Amino acid sequence: DHVKRSVLQALNEDCAGPDEPTTERQRLLMAVRAALIAADAAGSGLVREGKTIATWIHEQFLESPRWTQLAILNEIIDRRVNEINCRLIAQDRPAFDWNSFQLACDDLPSRALLLAPCGSGKTLAAWRWAAGQARHRPVNRVLFLYPTRATAKEGFRDYVSWAPEADAVLMHGTAAFDLQDMFDNEDDPRHENKYESEGRLFALGFWPKNAFSATVDQFLSFMQYNYRSVCLLPVLVDSVLVIDEVHSFDRNMLSALMRFLQCFDVPVLCMTATLTPLRLTQLTEECGLALYNDKPDDLAQIAEAPRYRLTLAESRATATERVAAALAAGRRVLWVVNTVNRCHELVNEFLSEAFDPQSQSPRLATPDGTPIYCYHSRFTLHDRTRRHEDIVASMRPGKPVCLGITTQVCEMSLDLDVDLLVTEYCPVTSLIQRMGRCNRDRDARPLDRSGEVIVYEPREQDPYSPDDLTGLDQFLTLVRDRDVTQVDLETALDSVTSPPWLGESYCPFLESGPYASANDASFRDSEDFNCQCVRREDVGAYLEAREHERPGFVLPVPKKMARARCHDAGSEDRRLPRHLGVAAEGHYHALLGYCDRPLDQWRTQ
C-alpha cells in the first residue's frame, strides 16, 4: 500500500498534457502502469496453465535476435518472390525483378514515410526495409499493421505465413475463422501448418510470436487503454513496425499514431499511395518521419505513364449508358458507390429480369449473360470471403468481360485491375485509391482500351460530410478531360485544400493521470449504424458450431432492421451471446448480402 500511494502521488505530480514534454520519470511510471496490467493477465493465465512465470517470461525475450537480415531475406522475401515467379510463369510473363525504388528501401532510416503509387510493390519494399533495420539493431519481431481485417489477411497470406509456423500470427477479431482452409491446396508448402497461439493465455499467448500481420487496432488501441492491446506492449521490445495505408486513418486512429510516434522509440515505416499535404506535414514535421517519395528509374516510368482519362458524368443515368457500351465492347468494369443501398439499386438495374432473388441463384448476370459481382460489408463472413475471392479472380488482365459493383470496401482490400472505373463523389484520397483499381498493371495499357474513369455526383452525399469532400472540386478540375499519370494525381493532390483537422483526440494512456482509466470513445472515430447479427435461420447452426467457426455466421445489419433476441423459454435466441442480435428475415441473399428491402420486393429497389 505504501508503494502504491507513492506511485500514485508521483503520477499526480508528473503527468504531462498533450502539449507538454514527457520526462524520463513519466515514461518509467507509464511503463510501471502498463506492466501492472500485463502482470494481472500473467497472474491468472500463466498460473492457470501451470507455467512458471519467471521461466516463461525469460523464454519470450531471448537475447539473440530472431530476425537477422539474412533470415528475413531467406524465410520471407525469397519465398514470396518465388511464389510470384510461379504465377508469372503460369501466365507466360517475364520473371520478377526488383525495381530501383524497392532496392533503395534497404537504406531508409528507422523512422520513415514511404509514398509510392498503387501497384509499385510497396509491401516487398517494406520487408526490405525491415531487413535493412536488422543490419543495425537486434530485431526479434516484425509487425505489419493494417487498417482492415481484409488487408491484414492478405498481408498474412502473402508474406507473414512464409515464416515458420511457430513464429507467424494473424491478429484481428476473426483471425481464427480466416485461417481455416487458407492454404487448402495440398501442393502449397504451408498446407499443414497450424498458425495457432495459446488461447487460454489471452494476449500473452502472442508473446512467443515473431512475425505479425494484424489490424492496427490490435496494437495501437492501448492508447485508449484497451486491455488486450496494453498486454501486447512488451511485444514492441526489439521490434520493427510497418503501418500501411495511413491515408485511411480517421481522427482517433491518426491521433493515436501521432502520439505513438512522438512518445515511443520504435523503428516505424508508415506507407501509402496517397497523402494530403496536411497529413504529410503531421507525419513528417510533427512526428519526425523521413519522407521517401523518390521515383528512380523504372518506378518513374511506371508513375509517368499515361494511365487514366477522367471525365465527369452529368448523372448516374449517363454513367449507366457508358457502362453498357463498355460491357458490350468486352471491357471489365468496376462501379463504386458509397452506400450498400445504392449498390443494390445498381445491381438491380443491370440484372437480368430472369433473376429470382428468392431462389438463391448461383450467379448474377446481365440479360446477355455478363457476370455481375456485388461486394460490400453486409455479408456473413462465410459469404463475404467467397464474394471477395470471386471478384478478385474475375477482375484481372486477361479475364473476360464482367461488371463489379462495390462500396468503398474495394479501396484497400481488392487487388483488381479493370478497364473502366465509375465512382460517386468521395474524398480525394479515396478517389485516388479507387483509381488504383483501374489500369493497375505496372505496364499501363493504352488509353483507348483501358484507364477510363467516370465520376458523378450522387443524389445524396452520405456517408460523407462537406468537410470530407474538401478539395474534391479543385482536384477534378485539375485532372479531368486529359491523359493523367500517377505523378499528375500526386501533383494535383498537393495543390488542393486538405480536409480540416479537428485536433488530436484524447489519449488516456498518456493523459489519464495516475489511473489506467479508459474513456467511452472507441479506437476508431466512426458512427456505427449497424448491429452485429445472426440470421434467424442460422441461429441453430451458430450455436452448434465450434468457436472459431461462429464468426462465419455473423453479419452487420442496419440497427433499424436488427431484432432483439427472443427470451421465451426454449428459444434458441436465449443462448446467443449478448452482443448479437437477430437479423430480420427475408432480406438476405448469398450473392447480394443483406438488403434494406425484403427479397420479395427486390424489383422495387
Side-chain angles (χ1 to χ4, degrees):
D1 287 344
H2 176 74
V3 172
K4 179 180 178 182
R5 285 195 298 272
S6 300
V7 170
L8 290 176
Q9 181 181 359
L11 280 164
N12 273 318
E13 293 172 352
D14 286 316
C15 286
D19 299 320
E20 301 172 0
T22 304
T23 67
E24 183 65 21
R25 191 180 190 192
Q26 290 162 353
R27 291 177 184 273
L28 291 173
L29 289 170
M30 283 188 288
V32 169
R33 192 167 49 188
L36 285 171
I37 294 173
D40 175 69
S44 57
L46 294 177
V47 173
R48 183 177 60 243
E49 293 300 293
K51 296 181 181 293
T52 304
I53 293 179
T55 302
W56 186 87
I57 290 178
H58 177 73
E59 292 172 350
Q60 311 315 307
F61 300 96
L62 303 177
E63 294 182 3
S64 57
R66 166 65 182 87
W67 291 112
T68 62
Q69 182 184 28
L70 187 61
I72 294 175
L73 289 171
N74 289 344
E75 295 185 19
I76 305 291
I77 295 176
D78 288 350
R79 293 181 179 183
R80 172 56 177 164
V81 169
N82 182 64
E83 182 184 38
I84 293 172
N85 272 327
C86 289
R87 187 176 69 244
L88 293 174
I89 292 171
Q91 297 171 351
D92 196 25
R93 300 179 65 185
F96 173 85
D97 191 20
W98 294 103
N99 60 47
S100 301
F101 142 74
Q102 291 170 320
L103 295 173
C105 290
D106 291 1
D107 300 313
L108 292 184
S110 62
R111 290 292 188 96
L113 172 61
L114 175 61
L115 298 185
C118 294
S120 57
K122 288 190 295 295
T123 306
L124 270 174
W127 277 100
R128 292 194 69 101
W129 170 81
Q133 293 304 303
R135 296 199 312 260
H136 309 297
R137 58 176 50 81
V139 174
N140 270 315
R141 294 172 176 84
V142 179
L143 291 80
F144 273 68
L145 306 184
Y146 298 91
T148 68
R149 296 178 183 185
T151 47
K153 177 182 176 180
E154 296 300 315
F156 179 84
R157 178 165 55 195
D158 292 344
Y159 295 91
V160 169
S161 61
W162 289 111
E165 61 182 300
D167 291 343
V169 62
L170 173 63
M171 285 184 62
H172 61 65
T174 56
F177 175 84
D178 279 345
L179 287 171
Q180 297 179 85
D181 304 321
M182 181 178 286
F183 305 110
D184 55 359
N185 184 345
E186 294 184 1
D187 294 331
D188 193 308
R190 298 163 292 182
H191 173 62
E192 295 185 355
N193 286 2
K194 304 296 183 185
Y195 302 99
E196 299 172 348
S197 63
E198 295 185 82
R200 289 172 59 87
L201 292 182
F202 188 55
L204 276 65
F206 295 104
W207 283 15
K209 301 296 183 178
N210 299 103
F212 290 74
S213 181
T215 50
V216 67
D217 313 53
Q218 297 290 327
F219 281 87
L220 290 191
S221 59
F222 78 85
M223 291 292 195
Q224 300 291 339
Y225 266 120
N226 175 280
Y227 186 88
R228 177 190 179 99
S229 182
V230 173
C231 290
L232 287 171
L233 273 174
V235 169
L236 297 179
V237 175
D238 292 335
S239 292
V240 295
L241 273 70
V242 177
I243 305 177
D244 199 11
E245 306 288 8
V246 293
H247 76 278
S248 67
F249 285 22
D250 60 34
R251 180 192 176 198
N252 281 0
M253 295 171 71
L254 182 62
S255 295
L257 174 60
M258 291 176 62
R259 298 303 299 276
F260 176 80
L261 292 172
Q262 292 163 350
C263 299
F264 289 79
D265 185 16
V266 179
V268 178
L269 177 70
C270 293
M271 61 182 189
T272 187
T274 57
L275 211 58
T276 63
L278 174 60
R279 190 158 294 192
L280 181 65
T281 298
Q282 290 172 319
L283 292 176
T284 54
E285 297 181 12
E286 297 181 29
C287 299
L289 298 184
L291 175 63
Y292 180 69
N293 63 347
D294 293 349
K295 296 177 177 59
D297 305 332
D298 38 7
L299 184 59
Q301 297 176 14
I302 295 171
E304 294 171 2
R307 194 173 292 272
Y308 311 110
R309 187 173 291 148
L310 187 149
T311 59
L312 301 185
E314 295 180 359
S315 65
R316 192 176 93 178
T318 303
T320 299
E321 295 174 0
R322 294 171 66 176
V323 167
L327 294 175
R331 300 166 71 188
R332 298 182 311 283
V333 179
L334 177 66
W335 194 323
V336 188
V337 293
N338 301 328
T339 69
V340 175
N341 188 46
R342 295 203 289 271
C343 180
H344 285 146
E345 288 179 358
L346 275 173
V347 172
N348 189 37
E349 190 170 341
F350 281 93
L351 199 56
S352 167
E353 289 287 340
F355 174 75
D356 179 2
Q358 294 182 291
S359 70
Q360 296 298 321
S361 169
R363 65 191 294 264
L364 305 177
T366 64
D368 65 358
T370 298
I372 299 175
Y373 300 96
C374 176
Y375 187 70
H376 50 74
S377 60
R378 275 198 233 153
F379 287 94
T380 65
L381 196 52
H382 279 303
D383 289 334
R384 183 166 178 173
T385 300
R386 298 184 186 105
R387 302 294 79 79
H388 181 109
E389 293 171 352
D390 289 346
I391 193 170
V392 168
S394 301
M395 294 198 141
R396 287 178 171 168
K399 295 295 184 179
V401 56
C402 60
L403 170 62
I405 301 176
T406 82
T407 59
Q408 52 268 57
V409 296
C410 74
E411 292 173 16
M412 290 178 289
S413 61
L414 295 185
D415 183 10
L416 310 179
D417 187 358
V418 301
D419 300 309
L420 168 62
L421 171 75
V422 183
T423 174
E424 294 181 339
Y425 276 22
C426 59
V428 176
T429 52
S430 295
L431 176 58
I432 295 175
Q433 288 291 324
R434 294 178 189 189
M435 292 174 69
R437 313 304 117 183
C438 179
N439 207 358
R440 181 183 177 90
D441 196 75
R442 59 183 298 165
D443 297 321
R445 298 182 290 279
L447 289 177
D448 60 349
R449 292 195 295 110
S450 186
E452 183 179 5
V453 177
I454 301 171
V455 182
Y456 68 97
E457 185 173 7
R459 62 180 181 270
E460 298 172 348
Q461 292 293 0
D462 55 310
Y464 298 117
S465 69
D467 282 347
D468 294 329
L469 300 178
T470 299
L472 177 62
D473 289 336
Q474 296 170 277
F475 182 83
L476 293 174
T477 299
L478 291 172
V479 301
R480 61 182 290 190
D481 300 324
R482 65 185 181 92
D483 296 353
V484 175
T485 68
Q486 292 173 331
V487 170
D488 293 331
L489 296 180
E490 294 175 20
T491 302
L493 178 61
D494 289 341
S495 304
V496 304
T497 306
S498 298
W501 172 239
L502 301 178
E504 290 187 4
S505 302
Y506 174 63
C507 178
F509 187 85
L510 300 176
E511 301 169 37
S512 63
Y515 303 102
S517 55
N519 64 351
D520 292 333
S522 66
F523 178 67
R524 293 179 186 257
D525 180 25
S526 61
E527 296 184 54
D528 191 357
F529 298 103
N530 292 324
C531 175
Q532 296 299 309
C533 290
V534 176
R535 299 164 62 211
R536 173 74 65 190
E537 55 267 44
D538 286 341
V539 170
Y542 174 91
L543 293 171
E544 293 176 4
R546 290 176 293 179
E547 189 67 30
H548 67 277
E549 296 172 335
R550 287 184 168 184
F553 297 98
V554 177
L555 78 156
V557 171
K559 288 181 177 179
K560 62 183 179 182
M561 308 180 74
R563 296 177 177 175
R565 290 167 295 160
C566 175
H567 295 286
D568 294 341
S571 169
E572 289 182 311
D573 290 9
R574 301 176 67 231
R575 297 166 55 199
L576 288 173
R578 299 181 66 177
H579 69 279
L580 291 178
V582 178
E585 297 174 77
H587 291 253
Y588 188 82
H589 190 285
L591 299 180
L592 299 170
Y594 199 87
C595 305
D596 285 0
R597 296 188 182 187
L599 294 179
D600 59 10
Q601 299 176 25
W602 170 257
R603 287 302 174 188
T604 63
Q605 289 279 346

